[in-house]
């Protein structure tokens, strides 16, 4: 079975082709095309929804065309069985570009649509053959997934394909959002996660004391907005007597703040996730979402999983951030085919 995946929930426009045989095997990635309007959002310091939707319109057809060509399929009538498209959560204007395109192609090519929850997509990036771990071992259930992106920080228990239970989530800012908002405070462009991670490598993670929000709570919830306030207070207190501009241009100071912030976020993510792994006695741990591309997070999870003897799966970075391959993969394993008439956007969709 071949599936065309389409992802347009935010600022990335993606199309990918996957091929799968049965649900107890990984799927094969035949092509994966992506265009991003990230640079234009870096200029405005964040995403302006209307701009994101306009950019989606610019890229959607060229990206689909490229994905079909790379997979050596006929662009006018490709030999595919279904179109998997993100129907939420996300920005309504951006989502509609992908959904309306999918509907038109579904009508033209006379194939069904599989509406996919973007959050499932981040989890199912782990089932793509491109994840080289697959050559060694398969994911077994039950599993815990940590979905950690710009909009979500969720701990999900997977008992089987499509059998998901959310056991914890963020009460305010998501981890990626915390990286981005704190980055803005210290003068970094959006999205700040990758830049903070790079700067942190040169900084001292013990330079300042930052809180570990929800550390002692007896649940699997997260909260990251207090961390942003702590950094803001640190800057306001300004023990160094620098101007805001001097703070933003002091490389040592910015590197130290970055290292402390990254350490605090990673510490909390690791603690809660490993507590969930122990409580539910799962066999596999899956990471997904843009923040899962963070090197320190990956390193710490690798050590901790070895300690506990649990199988850890982390998609390669290009499959952690938004992409269409993960949407096609989620579509294959949660194969609920619909007619184009039944598919609608749901910007507030959860699990
Ligand atoms: O999954 P994603 O591409 O989009 C959403 O669905 O939100 O995640 C984007 C988020 C941004 O907040 C970005 O700052 C963060 O992932 N991110 C990182 C890294 N790469 C991306 N955060 C920390 N370290 C990274 N290396
Ligand atoms: Zn995402």
């Amino acid at each position: 079975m071949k599936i065309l995946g389409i992802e347009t929930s935010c600022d990335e426009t993606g199309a990918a082709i996957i091929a799968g045989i049965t649900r107890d095997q990984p799927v094969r990635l035949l092509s994966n095309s992506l265009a991003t309007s990230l640079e234009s959002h870096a200029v405005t310091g964040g995403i302006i929804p209307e701009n994101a939707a306009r950019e989606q319109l610019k890229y959607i057809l060229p990206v689909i065309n490229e994905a079909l060509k790379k997979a050596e399929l006929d662009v006018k009538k490709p030999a595919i069985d279904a179109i998997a498209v993100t129907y939420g959560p996300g920005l309504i204007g951006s989502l509609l570009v992908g959904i309306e395109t999918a509907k038109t192609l579904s009508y033209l090519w006379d194939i069904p649509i599989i509406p996919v929850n973007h959050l499932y997509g981040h989890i199912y990036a782990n089932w793509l053959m491109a994840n080289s771990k697959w050559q060694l071992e398969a994911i077994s259930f039950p599993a815990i997934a940590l979905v950690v992106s710009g909009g979500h920080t969720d701990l999900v228990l997977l008992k089987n394909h499509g059998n998901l239970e959310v056991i914890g989530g963020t009460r305010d800012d998501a981890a990626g959002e915390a990286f981005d908002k704190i980055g803005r405070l210290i003068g970094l462009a959006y999205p700040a996660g990758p830049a903070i991670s790079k700067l942190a490598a040169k900084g001292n993670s013990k330079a300042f004391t930052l809180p570990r929000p929800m550390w002692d709570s007896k649940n699997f919830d997260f909260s990251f907005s207090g961390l942003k306030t702590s950094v803001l207070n640190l800057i306001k207190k300004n023990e160094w007597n620098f101007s805001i501009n001097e703070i933003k241009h002091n490389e040592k100071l910015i590197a130290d703040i970055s290292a402390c912030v990254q350490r605090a976020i990673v510490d909390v993510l690791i603690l809660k996730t490993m507590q969930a792994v122990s409580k539910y006695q799962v066999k596999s741990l899956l990471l997904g979402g843009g923040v899962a591309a963070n090197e320190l997070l990956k390193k710490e999870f690798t050590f901790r999983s070895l300690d506990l003897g649990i199988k850890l799966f982390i998609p390669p970075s290009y499959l952690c951030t938004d992409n269409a391959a993960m949407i096609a993969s989620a579509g294959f394993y949660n194969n609920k085919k619909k007619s184009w008439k039944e598919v609608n956007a749901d910007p507030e969709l959860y699990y």
Side-chain angles (χ1 to χ4, degrees), residues 7 9-10 118-119 122 147 149-152 289-290 320-323 326:
E7 156 62 32
S9 65
C10 190
H118 179 85
L119 302 170
H122 279 304
V147 178
S149 68
H152 290 85
C320 285
T321 46
D322 289 350
N323 66 85
M326 66 183 198

Side-chain angles (χ1 to χ4, degrees), residues 35-250:
T36 179
S37 54
L38 213 63
E39 273 178 23
S40 65
H41 306 306
V43 175
T44 51
I47 295 174
I48 296 173
E50 194 187 319
N51 291 352
R54 282 177 198 273
E55 296 292 309
Q56 295 283 4
L57 276 174
K58 223 170 21 188
Y59 296 131
I60 188 72
L61 291 179
V63 161
I64 292 174
N65 203 40
E66 185 182 85
L68 292 170
K69 275 191 181 155
K70 278 191 187 159
E72 296 178 359
L73 291 164
D74 178 358
V75 293
K76 295 218 168 100
K77 182 83 176 94
I80 52 173
D81 302 279
I83 302 172
V85 63
T86 303
Y87 74 107
L91 304 170
I92 182 68
S94 291
L95 286 169
L96 284 174
V97 175
I99 291 174
E100 292 309 313
T101 308
K103 284 180 163 188
T104 310
L105 295 177
S106 153
Y107 176 77
L108 268 177
W109 296 338
D110 194 21
I111 52 173
I113 291 185
I114 308 172
V116 172
N117 180 329
H118 179 85
L119 302 170
Y120 278 50
H122 279 304
I123 296 173
Y124 277 87
N126 286 288
W127 268 267
L128 287 157
M129 189 85 107
N131 185 351
S132 60
K133 274 252 176 178
W134 259 111
Q135 269 115 49
L136 305 173
E137 50 192 341
I139 298 167
S140 27
F141 295 109
I144 288 282
L146 172 68
V147 178
V148 67
S149 68
H152 290 85
T153 306
D154 303 320
L155 274 169
V156 181
L157 173 67
L158 278 92
K159 293 178 188 145
N160 209 329
H161 288 301
N163 185 346
L164 276 70
E165 184 192 333
V166 181
I167 56 167
T170 183
R171 297 193 174 177
D172 40 57
D173 291 352
E177 197 177 355
F179 274 117
D180 296 339
K181 286 181 175 170
I182 293 170
R184 199 182 168 136
L185 290 179
I186 58 175
L188 303 174
Y190 174 89
I196 289 188
S197 154
K198 225 176 184 180
L199 282 162
K202 294 182 259 169
N204 171 10
S205 62
K206 296 201 172 91
F208 310 106
T209 309
L210 292 179
R212 303 292 187 265
M214 312 279 293
W215 190 259
D216 293 318
S217 71
K218 297 274 175 282
N219 54 42
F220 298 113
D221 285 345
F222 301 92
S223 162
F224 290 107
S225 69
L227 202 54
K228 178 189 61 202
T229 313
S230 300
V231 175
L232 185 63
N233 289 340
L234 195 69
I235 292 171
K236 275 192 188 152
K237 205 161 128 205
N238 193 358
E239 284 174 345
W240 327 279
N241 285 321
F242 292 147
S243 70
I244 290 290
N245 211 26
E246 282 168 334
I247 290 176
K248 288 184 179 173
H249 287 95
N250 185 317

